[in-house]
Amino acid sequence: IDIPNLGGARGSSRAQAGPEADGSARRMTEQSGTQARECHGCTRHALTGDTHMWRSKARGVLFTMAVLAIASLLPSVQGTEGPPELVFLNWSEYMDPGLLAEFERVHGVRVREAYFESDDDRDRLVQQTRAKGYDVALVNGNMLERYVRRGWVSKLDPEQIPHLKHIDSRWSNAFEGAVGYGVPYFWGVLGIAYRRDLIDGPLRRWMDVFRPAEALCGRIVMMNQSRDLIGMALVALGFSANSTDPGELNAAETLLMAQKPCVKDYYYLALSERSALVTGEVAAAMMYSGDARMVRDHHEAIDYTIPEEGTNLWVDYLVVMANSPRKELAHRFIDFLNEPKRAARLAEYLFYASPNLAAEPFLSDKHRHDPVIHPPREVLQRSETYNRLPPRAIKQRNLIFHRVTE
């Protein structure tokens, strides 16, 4: 897909912020208005952009200890003097800071975002902290049922979220456990972002990166999430991303291990002008659709492919955490984001498709007709959502992921 250059306020504001505007790194220390922000698990590319990865297992252990230490302080922080505080566990660069500032002004509160680098990191963090210290969290659809089952999220009160009526039921009901517990935030697909000026011809299939041409070898970045990495290897081989067949999983591992010498690293690219895809250090990477649109603002030669073999169709949900002492405020926050004009503003800012039907009239024509943000029907028909996996398959996938990425 040749991405149209939409420009937009987000790309402009980030460009003006300069080199230090690299998403997570800046946000670990930045205070915008009264918003204090911190990052859990996003250090691999956050501290130094894309060029220096943490490779030492010892440092990884120290980082985990630091995460636990910081997370253990969260409940006590809420008890300090000052306005009421809402803690939002979220991906970095997945919220309009202007909307957060507006919510703070309207409700006389303070919003603090805590970040994670991957869904796997978020799951570990929530488990390690016993789901304490957070009021609202961003949870991917295939994990929502598990969060409900473990008692980590609270059942929603629809009367406190009147704008819930605007949400398309297609996304509200897309995953087991979502109804009554999660409010769809955004949806999208997974694909390949690449620099067309650095390679010979377009990338159209997953096999173009799993069995790359020699010129691409060493210039590929793959995601550090087991469901995505192993799932798309399965799809490339003609299997379901949800396969539990040991033989098919072994075939996926063989493919990934053969690809490994050509992989620069396993992480998620930064989205700013310092991204390795922008600088040319990387020529191709796994990336979510809206993020590809965002990073395209920094280099016109970046294109995005939704592979022909198929891909993952995902939905992210906002949930109220069961241990939150501010559930009423958490409900107000979710409702605030779903007021139609604000929902449209957020969708434009993040370059993602909104599940809020009432937001559509407020979206620009460019946003509504962008094939990366709103993939055509034929793309969605060959996409699949992730299903809940049995423990045996999870164990095998975890072992494969560890062997591939260690």
Side-chain angles (χ1 to χ4, degrees), residues 344-359:
R345 170 182 165 184
L346 187 56
E348 296 265 4
Y349 183 86
L350 294 175
F351 300 104
Y352 274 114
S354 174
N356 190 315
L357 295 174

Side-chain angles (χ1 to χ4, degrees), residues 43-65:
T43 319
R44 292 184 66 182
H45 68 271
L47 291 179
T48 56
D50 287 324
T51 55
H52 299 90
M53 300 298 108
W54 279 18
R55 300 179 185 273
S56 166
K57 291 184 179 180
R59 295 174 85 178
V61 171
L62 290 173
F63 174 68
T64 300
M65 293 173 63

Side-chain angles (χ1 to χ4, degrees), residues 384-398:
E384 59 181 324
T385 58
Y386 291 144
N387 298 335
R388 180 182 171 188
L389 298 174
R392 173 183 53 80
I394 294 174
K395 181 178 180 180
Q396 184 177 1
R397 285 174 180 247
N398 287 342

Side-chain angles (χ1 to χ4, degrees), residues 55 209-222 229 252-266 403-406:
R55 300 179 185 273
V209 292
F210 283 115
R211 291 174 180 161
E214 185 176 351
L216 196 56
C217 200
R219 307 184 73 182
I220 301 170
V221 167
M222 303 297 287
L229 184 65
E253 180 176 8
T254 299
L255 178 64
L256 289 166
M257 292 302 289
Q259 179 208 30
K260 185 174 181 177
C262 286
V263 176
K264 180 177 177 61
D265 215 324
Y266 299 88
R403 287 192 289 264
V404 170
T405 61
E406 68 177 352

